[in-house]
Amino acid sequence: LAPKYGNRLVDHHCRQGRGHARGGAVSSALANVTPPGSPDRTCSTEEEEAHVEEVPAGLPDVASQIPGLFEESGCAVVAHRGLGMNLKPGRGIRENTVASIIAAHDFGADWSEFDVQVTKDGVPVLWHDDFISVRRGDGEVENFAIRDLTLDELKRVSRAAIATAEAAKIGDTRAVKATRSRPSSELEYSGSEADEFELEDFTNVSDCADSAGTSGYLSEEECGERARISKSVAPMSPTEEPVVLYRKFAGTEAPAPWIMDVEDEIPTLHELMTKAPNSLGFSLELKFGTPEDFPGGKKVDPARMVMELRATLAVCKSHPRRRVAFSTFDPDAAIHMRTLQGLYPVMFITNCQPGQEDLRRCTVEAAIKTAIDADLVGLVIRADVLRNDPTVPQRVRASGLMLGSYGGPNSDLDLVERQVDLGVGYLCTDDVPAVARLMSSRSTTRNAVLVAGAR
């Protein structure tokens, strides 16, 4: 049973929602986070009282946790893994780091999405991929699941990789050799004159953002202060062996060294909560590999899943002023997180792609039913699904769910505008600067219309 927070609180939020530009859909969405004490619940009084949790003093209310509800444009700009996912090595900030997430805030993001996994010893950390791929010295690339490493082991790998990258920048022969083993189609790590990019070529931050394209790739000079880069890791010493992180990037046949111009260590969720601006909302994607992600259809044990969800929830509650929402591709994880608590919104992410083993992930109708049955606040659907079938937003919202979108198409500003017009309230994008500017202009126009109408 999810914790009970009382009908009066939720009724208050629903009244607030009706005053919003998209109040009908918002009020319906808020109804989906009604706590177990509501009349529509069938559990016994004894069961409810056994699971009651009081709202900690100073904790933001349910409504304030819903992305898009109070943004002036009607849609939250949600930064994907910070200032954008790393589509290739080189220019940019390492994704899912404090530096990248702070930079996204400074470029205008309302919220930042990032991926959360839990270490072997129960510490939530930011990491996207199913495995962390590591090469030590001249050895083979080894793959480790985050949940098979302790926090100390993960931090030592992360810091050693940064030390190797820093040593390569100053010409350490062993580090340069270790970091240059990448596909021939990529520039050497040390760069070339054609690859140089100078901040003084641009007159303002917006121009710098334009140069980044749709991937958020900015050099250290372009976002250094705004990214607040950690300088605590020194280059590796002569007695240390190189450690390099690898990733299989799109278009490459094999994993390549994953080294960014702006490095930062893999953070814990607590470290991010402590260091990021308080005004930035956090959209935590709860990472659990689906059967399609692992050979042999491996899936996380339910008991382990609940433990990881509880660990993540505990960190969030220890930072009560932070706006938080949860999302996940795993419908079971969404159901468990909703069952564990009733304050933070939970959303189901889906690509609605037929042929997947879990039928709940295959169609829009299945996703809607899953969200309603589990009392989730909404869905986050891949943007090309919305582009290919413009009836999807109306169908989702008519069911009483809020709607968000994700994916590469969310760098297309025309598509972004169409989605917002159709009621999308959560837009996860890799091109934060451009989308933030668009939303700002929409807010300015909307406010001007409201002022003119009031005269």
Side-chain angles (χ1 to χ4, degrees), residues 36 38-44 47-48:
S38 303
D40 63 328
R41 300 287 187 158
T42 58
C43 56
S44 68
E47 289 176 320
E48 289 181 8

Side-chain angles (χ1 to χ4, degrees), residues 101-102 105-106 228 272 275-282 322:
I101 289 169
I102 291 177
H105 167 269
D106 292 344
R228 300 164 176 80
L272 176 64
K275 296 176 181 178
N278 291 330
S279 60
L280 184 64
F282 285 166
R322 178 72 62 184

